[in-house]
């Protein structure tokens, strides 16, 4: 073969190799550039997530300062009706908030973030948070025993609708029915032959909720923009008003206090009738939101306690809401009552307040009704919720309570035979949780010392 022909063959090969090398070079350059672009996009996406998290934590910080911030956050969320853009170093975020409801008792924070240099690269998270509260339980106790150390038992005929918790040991004798979650922090004891019904599954051991030292913060609220009284005070809930009879004075009618707090101060010793004690006697029907706190005890009565003539006092049936619709499907009531005692919350059993020494009448007269209705969140800070002198008198009917009970020591509302299981005195318990209290409380209601907003769910979400 001639040299000319060899050159003719070599030239196409050189051209082909050059083309391949060129293509590979461009491909490599493209891949390097693409990889750099992908890396930059990835980094910016991580920054977008960081800015979204910054927005979520900013809102969570505001919730920790004001647990109802979601009710008045429009200026923080919107700017002229459109989502407000919040600036952070190197980027931005916007927020959308889903308020809590009975079917989803959490605040949902939807946060979208993006970096300055890549505004189209956005990341959105949806974070559900809730705050630990005493009223999230139908029933919560520090100890399942009386202040004297006597164990108190759940027995046949007792029912609880709503979450139930004790920081101590739960005692079961018979076949009570628990329709919701049951938790404890120490233990659970079931007597032989007991067959309790746990509809939400077996009881669970969890961390305790820590009680505050006092209810004095409510005294501060009452002095600021509520109603403050010193000494024995009788209160009739009369729709959107309250009738107050303080000590031995005449009754006065007032609108509900501006901040929803009434505080009854006074001595924490002495009898329930002593005019100097910080005792409140409460009954009637509420149309609105109110918290009544007492330095000593709160007594729930079945007649108007501001009328010192028991025979002519109007029956009330207990403490009730004007709108008692607790069905989430039926347009829930907006009425809400809190009763907080430094000592006991009691159903009044014997006697009636009066203005003349010894400041009561009918001392041995049974004034407790056969059945009683209580619509309220009850809190006995240092002692118990109980039926006064529960081991005396005639057998009663049922306490129909809708709301929440929190007490340091377990109070009794009756006695029963450990041999037969039959009630001997007092009431049966039908306790139903107010579903709004999974996320709402009466005005300025006490919170656990270890309360705080907790993240219960965190997930990525589509960008708006």
């Amino acid at each position: 073969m001639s040299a000319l022909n060899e050159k003719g063959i070599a030239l196409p090969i050189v051209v082909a190799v050059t083309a391949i090398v060129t293509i590979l070079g461009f491909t490599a350059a493209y891949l390097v550039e693409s990889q750099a672009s992908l890396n930059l996009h990835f980094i910016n996406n991580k920054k977008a997530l960081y800015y979204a998290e910054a927005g979520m934590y900013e809102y969570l910080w505001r919730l920790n300062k004001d647990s109802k911030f979601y009710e008045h956050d429009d200026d923080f969320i919107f700017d002229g009706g459109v989502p407000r853009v919040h600036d952070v170093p190197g980027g931005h975020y916007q927020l959308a908030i889903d308020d809590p409801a009975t079917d989803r008792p959490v605040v949902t924070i939807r946060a979208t973030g993006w970096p300055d240099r890549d505004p189209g690269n956005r990341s959105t998270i949806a974070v559900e948070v809730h705050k630990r509260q005493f009223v999230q339980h139908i029933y919560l106790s520090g100890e399942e025993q009386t202040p004297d150390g006597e164990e108190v038992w759940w027995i046949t005929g007792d029912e609880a609708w709503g979450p139930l918790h004790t920081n101590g040991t739960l005692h079961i004798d018979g076949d009570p029915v628990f329709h919701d979650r049951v938790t404890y922090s120490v233990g659970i004891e079931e007597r032989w032959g007991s067959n309790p019904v746990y509809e939400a599954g077996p009881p669970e051991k969890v961390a305790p909720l820590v009680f505050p030292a006092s209810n004095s913060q409510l005294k501060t609220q009452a002095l600021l923009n509520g109603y403050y009284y010193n000494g024995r005070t009788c209160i009739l809930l009369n729709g959107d008003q309250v009738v107050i009879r303080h000590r031995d004075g005449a009754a006065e009618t007032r609108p509900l206090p501006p901040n929803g707090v009434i505080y009854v101060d006074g001595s924490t010793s002495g009898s329930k009738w002593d005019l100097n004690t910080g005792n409140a006697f409460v009954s009637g029907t509420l149309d609105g939101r109110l918290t009544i706190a007492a330095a000593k005890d709160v007594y729930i009565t079945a007649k108007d306690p501001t009328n010192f003539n028991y025979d002519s006092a109007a029956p009330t049936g207990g403490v009730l809401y004007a709108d008692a619709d607790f069905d989430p499907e039926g347009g829930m009531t907006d009425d809400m009552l809190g009763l907080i005692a430094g000592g006991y919350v009691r159903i009044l059993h014997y006697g009636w307040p009066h203005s003349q020494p010894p400041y009561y009448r009918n001392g041995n007269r049974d004034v407790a009704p056969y059945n009683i209705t209580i619509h309220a969140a009850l809190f006995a800070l240092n002692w118990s919720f109980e039926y006064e002198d529960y081991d005396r008198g005639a057998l009663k009917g049922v306490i129909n309570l809708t709301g929440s009970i929190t007490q340091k020591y377990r109070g009794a509302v009756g006695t029963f035979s450990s041999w037969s299981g039959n009630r001997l005195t007092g009431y049966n318990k039908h306790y139903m949780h107010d579903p709004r209290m999974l996320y709402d409380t009466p005005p300025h209601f006490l919170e656990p010392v270890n309360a705080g907003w907790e993240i219960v769910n965190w997930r990525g979400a589509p960008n708006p």
Side-chain angles (χ1 to χ4, degrees):
M1 182 178 293
S2 68
L4 182 60
N5 288 337
E6 289 177 357
K7 290 180 180 178
I9 294 172
L11 183 59
I13 293 175
V14 171
V15 171
V17 170
T18 301
I20 291 171
V21 171
T22 302
I23 291 171
L24 289 175
F26 279 120
T27 301
Y30 174 77
L31 289 175
V32 169
E33 185 178 349
S34 296
Q35 185 62 43
S37 178
L38 286 173
N39 287 341
L40 182 60
H41 182 82
F42 177 78
I43 291 170
N44 283 337
N45 189 254
K46 288 295 184 183
K47 288 182 177 179
L49 177 61
Y50 166 78
Y51 299 134
E53 290 175 344
M56 183 276 295
Y57 282 116
E58 169 70 17
Y59 196 87
L60 195 58
W61 177 79
R62 290 174 180 269
L63 279 176
N64 276 311
K65 291 181 64 179
D66 176 4
S67 61
K68 297 293 181 65
F69 181 64
Y70 57 83
E71 293 182 350
H72 45 265
D73 61 3
D74 282 359
D75 289 342
F76 184 70
I77 301 298
F78 298 104
D79 182 8
V82 299
R84 179 181 291 277
V85 175
H86 298 265
D87 299 328
V88 289
H92 315 274
Y93 67 82
Q94 291 178 329
L95 296 172
I97 306 300
D98 295 339
D99 292 354
T102 53
D103 60 342
R104 196 163 190 81
V106 293
V107 177
T108 302
I109 307 170
R110 302 180 189 276
T112 301
W114 65 93
D116 273 334
R117 296 184 178 181
D118 191 2
N121 192 346
R122 301 192 171 209
S123 183
T124 298
I125 56 175
V127 182
E128 296 174 353
V129 299
H130 82 140
K131 190 172 188 179
R132 299 182 79 194
Q133 299 279 8
F134 292 115
V135 297
Q136 289 165 350
H137 304 83
I138 174 58
Y139 174 88
L140 189 148
S141 66
E143 297 286 347
E144 285 290 283
Q145 59 185 28
T146 67
D148 297 328
E150 181 181 358
E151 294 173 345
V152 184
W153 298 74
W154 289 83
I155 67 171
T156 301
D158 290 345
E159 293 189 69
W161 286 267
L164 182 148
H165 172 75
T166 177
N167 287 342
T169 296
L170 194 67
H171 305 296
I172 307 294
D173 188 323
D175 308 329
V177 180
F178 302 97
H179 296 273
D180 210 317
R181 186 181 183 218
V182 175
T183 58
Y184 61 91
S185 297
V186 176
I188 185 165
E189 178 183 358
E190 296 180 6
R191 279 183 172 159
W192 184 87
S194 295
N195 188 30
V197 178
Y198 300 112
E199 291 191 348
E204 305 169 53
K205 189 172 184 177
V206 300
L209 286 168
V210 181
F211 281 47
S214 74
N215 65 6
S216 60
Q217 67 191 72
L218 291 165
K219 174 180 176 179
T220 301
Q221 293 293 337
L223 288 167
L224 284 174
N225 203 23
Y227 298 158
Y228 172 85
Y229 297 93
N230 193 298
R232 191 192 77 184
T233 303
C234 297
I235 303 171
L236 173 68
L237 308 175
N238 187 27
D240 60 357
Q241 299 178 321
V242 286
V243 181
I244 306 288
R245 191 161 188 176
H246 179 234
R247 296 188 181 223
D248 56 351
E252 61 171 344
T253 300
R254 307 182 68 177
L256 296 179
N259 68 358
V261 175
I262 298 175
Y263 190 84
V264 177
D265 207 352
S267 170
T268 56
S269 61
S271 77
K272 66 184 178 185
W273 307 115
D274 188 333
L275 296 184
N276 296 313
T277 60
N279 287 339
F281 293 77
V282 184
S283 199
T285 299
L286 173 69
D287 183 1
R289 298 171 68 91
L290 178 66
T291 293
I292 300 173
K296 191 171 185 283
D297 300 330
V298 173
Y299 289 87
I300 300 171
T301 71
K303 283 191 170 186
D304 174 5
T306 68
N307 184 342
F308 288 170
N309 183 338
Y310 177 77
D311 291 321
S312 64
T316 62
V319 287
L320 298 84
Y321 296 152
D323 175 6
D325 185 357
F326 299 100
D327 182 0
E329 302 298 324
M332 293 278 289
T333 176
D334 59 359
D335 304 330
M336 189 173 285
L337 175 65
L339 299 176
I340 303 177
Y344 290 91
V345 177
R346 287 174 165 145
I347 299 172
L348 183 65
H349 193 167
Y350 292 112
W352 198 246
H354 204 269
S355 59
Q356 301 298 321
Y359 305 115
Y360 69 91
R361 293 291 186 270
N362 311 115
N364 294 317
R365 186 171 185 172
D366 187 340
V367 298
Y370 181 74
N371 295 320
I372 190 167
T373 299
I374 300 174
H375 296 157
L378 310 180
F379 198 146
L381 184 56
N382 291 304
W383 298 107
S384 311
F385 165 64
E386 65 177 19
Y387 173 41
E388 182 192 28
D389 295 323
Y390 59 86
D391 57 348
R392 296 174 54 196
L395 192 66
K396 300 292 184 176
V398 177
I399 300 171
N400 291 299
L401 181 144
T402 304
S404 174
I405 300 171
T406 304
Q407 53 191 340
K408 185 170 184 178
Y409 296 99
R410 173 75 185 274
V413 296
T415 60
F416 72 101
S417 167
S418 59
W419 178 75
S420 67
N422 294 328
R423 280 192 306 125
L424 303 176
T425 63
Y427 290 94
N428 258 338
K429 302 180 285 289
H430 283 188
Y431 296 162
M432 181 176 294
H433 192 232
D434 184 335
R436 300 171 301 160
M437 292 182 182
L438 290 171
Y439 63 89
D440 198 4
T441 69
H444 301 282
F445 205 80
L446 297 182
E447 298 180 347
V449 172
N450 55 341
W453 285 89
E454 300 176 322
I455 295 174
V456 296
N457 190 23
W458 179 306
R459 65 185 185 276
N463 292 323

